[in-house]
Amino acid sequence: MIRPDAEPLLEINDLHASVEDKPILNGVNLQVKAGEIHAVMGRNGSGKSTLSKVLAGHPAYRVTSGSVRYLGRDLLELEPEERSRLGVFLGFQYPIEIPGVSNLEFLRVSTNARREKQGKEELDTFDFDDHVRDRLQVVQMDPAFLERSVNEGFSGGEKKRNEILQMALLDPVVAILDETDSGLDIDALRIVAGGVNQLASPDNCTLLITHYQRLLDEIIPDYVHVMGAGRILRTGGSELALELEKIGYDWVDQQLAAEGVA
Amino acid sequence: MTSTSTRDLVSQPYKYGFVTDIETEKIAKGLSEEVVRLISSKKNEPKFLLDFRLKAYRHWLKLQEPDWAALGYKAIDYQDIVYYAAPKQQDKKQSLDEVDPKLLETFEKLGIPLSEQKRLSNVAVDAVFDSVSIATTYKEKLAEHGVVFCSFTEAVAEHPELIQKYLGSVVPSNDNYFAALNSAVFSDGSFVFIPKGVECPMELSTYFRINSGDTGQFERTLIVAEEGASVSYLEGCTAPMFDTNQLHAAVVELVVLDDASIKYSTVQNWYAGDENGVGGIYNFVTKRGHCRGARSRISWTQVETGSAITWKYPSCVLQGADSVGEFYSVALTNNCQQADTGTKMIHVGPRTRSTIVSKGISAGRSSNSYRGLVQVGPNAKGARNYSQCDSMLIGDQAAANTYPYIRSQQPQAAIEHEASTCRMSEDQLFYLQSRGIGFEEAVSMMVSGFCRDVFNQLPMEFAAEADKLLALKLEGSVG
């Protein structure tokens, strides 16, 4: 939902970042306001996933220049855990398995860390149990998954549901969903997308990182951005995604070649 | 991260490193037959015990220090060690009021309150300071049930027939180099006797404290559970920080008769040396239990976090039919620590069962080896063993090894062995962090998740303590 008077939640200015001294992001500019859903598209290697990791604070990615303001503060100087507590959420493309750590306990500690920052009361094990069972409905997840170790032995679809469950619990201000649709069959995709739609509100914003149009059939973005060579090459409305479905990404190469980049 | 921050994280100062300033009676350094006789005479021992010591000493002289473990350390100079040190106080106190307040204070500081008002409820404690036991709590209450829980020295004086009957019956004085040394010079330790049919009404616990810098600690623990008896016993250990190494060579013997059980838990936190491997305890320990009776059971649970060198294989000889042996272990090494630890399950009787669950965590530049033997004899028809050995590596400079030995002379035995190694990865830590969980908490969550199967076996009061201890060992300044 686009509102001209909405508050900017995330402002990315000329962001450059590298991994092992190899530059991946080369000047990303993006502003996301409250209530908006943005889709970031592009080929493999265009820098989409790197952008999401940098925003979440992955230690392997080094920001070389540029800035990211989040709710008026410098996001880049915050530790990853601090970003999460303040409402930045990254839904992982490949959620990590953590053997031996109970999913329920993990969700509770994580939720309480966020709640403390929000000035909300800490939930003890009993209250949390009720709370999480309520949130499970968002992704129609079987409570049995709470008893297992974090993501251990989950199928691809179960892992993605577990990500959206975390999103539902953490009540983020900025939700960045990295290839949330990958590995999902059409039913699971609908459930996951339904969860994301339920959680979107006029007070938060969503950044969908995706390859495919099919997720955008379920979650209608307000803006679509196309990334190439580590920056945003083109921005449009939801119709841009449909156009890309038809024309593909060859024009990206031509544009970059014309600029002398590729 | 991350190798840097993991390094910071695992270098946590040792909080038990203080020295108690107390007058100590020490004998001169060095080991000889005269020293063995001197120790025995200081303790007014009966002749059988002096003979036991001398036989052990003479045998020890013929032995070579074992070198098969995956451990590297500077040769130990056995003539540079004090073999007997005791805080100067009168004979064993009748009441705690007479114990030197400095000693009580020391144990208080270690979190082991001995004074009547502050005692841990339902845990009886024997406190051993350097070579001697200074106090045992709840003795009278235990005596009402016929349970004997006292220092080894007292047991020799008051129950010599039990000592003579059981001492060396599980770990013979000539068993191995360090057991022979211990048998020759052991100073004190704990003795527990649970008579027929008695379920010990409280947890028993011994707390070992090394205080002197040049003193070896050689204690001896003997626990006997008669038919149908049961007991849960816990030992804890700490030592001050010295830049020299202290030798700790203990022997623990457990005897269980028909239908009896002993659960023996250890939280070992001897000083581990500094981050460059200077100082720390050399821990060479022989622990063995003998399931003599049918349906008897021995369960070893250990949480090994300290010592520069750990050489320790708590074992079970499963002789009684249907007897059960268990070994649950967490060994954490950091900095330059080296651990070679595991177990031996010797199946002698029919339908004997054993379970081994070992979790090794190596951080820093440490080395952590599991070494275990499962042996099934020709009469152990229907014997079963299940072993699981998991290793976790933190950082990229630590080592983990697994040396399982399996010998079976019984075609109808079932032996299973599973092993795994994992590395605590940057991505796992980042995942937890990106959910609002701080770096240190993320590490400790993963470590305690990894160790859960073992912690579940600890007595409840100590499970939380062990969890905290691991977290502390891995805690530090995260930049």
Side-chain angles (χ1 to χ4, degrees), chain A residues 56-60 80-81 84-85 89-90 92 96-101 106 109-110 113 151 163 166 170, chain B residues 1-2 425-439 441 445-450 452 479:
Chain A
H58 194 292
E81 61 268 29
S84 166
R85 292 170 195 160
F89 177 84
L90 170 62
F92 282 71
I96 310 292
E97 299 193 3
I98 306 182
V101 176
F106 157 70
V109 173
S110 165
N151 293 324
E163 291 294 290
Q166 291 168 46
L170 293 174
Chain B
M1 250 195 355
T2 157
S425 76
E426 180 177 273
D427 282 331
Q428 286 172 318
L429 289 167
F430 175 63
Y431 188 76
L432 294 176
Q433 278 183 284
S434 76
R435 298 298 182 252
I437 298 164
F439 187 78
E441 199 181 350
M445 233 177 166
M446 289 184 56
V447 168
S448 80
F450 178 72
R452 200 170 45 182

